[in-house]
Amino acid sequence: MRSLSMIVLNGVVIYISFNVFTFLIPFFMGSLIAVVSFWHFNLIFGKLQEKQQELAEKEAEEQASGRVCSIG
């Protein structure tokens, strides 16, 4: 889903660049495509980091509860 929205938004940027603001193509189009692509990358990367952190916390809790049970 995220890839599809990135393609659509980049398509909108290209459409606007060629049909509305043709004189800004060298500045406008490349910069906005880079911003849109980085924004999507950042969202995906943030979600991956969050899941990894949750997994690490869960493993730490399991290890802590395992140590408590083995001591008792």
Side-chain angles (χ1 to χ4, degrees), residues 20-62:
V20 179
F21 299 115
T22 55
F23 61 95
L24 291 176
I25 287 175
F27 312 105
F28 176 76
M29 186 172 66
S31 298
L32 277 183
I33 287 175
V35 167
V36 168
S37 297
F38 178 76
W39 177 62
H40 280 90
F41 163 77
N42 196 25
L43 287 174
I44 292 169
F45 189 74
K47 286 182 181 181
L48 287 173
Q49 278 187 319
E50 187 177 306
K51 286 181 182 180
Q52 184 180 16
Q53 185 177 5
E54 289 174 2
L55 182 62
E57 289 173 358
K58 184 178 178 182
E59 288 177 359
E61 289 176 4
E62 287 176 357

Side-chain angles (χ1 to χ4, degrees), residues 1 6 10 22 29 34 49 68:
M1 182 66 180
M6 182 172 61
N10 283 335
T22 55
M29 186 172 66
Q49 278 187 319
V68 172

Side-chain angles (χ1 to χ4, degrees), residues 4-17:
L4 182 62
S5 65
M6 182 172 61
I7 291 169
V8 169
L9 285 175
N10 283 335
V12 168
V13 169
I14 291 171
Y15 175 79
I16 289 172
S17 294

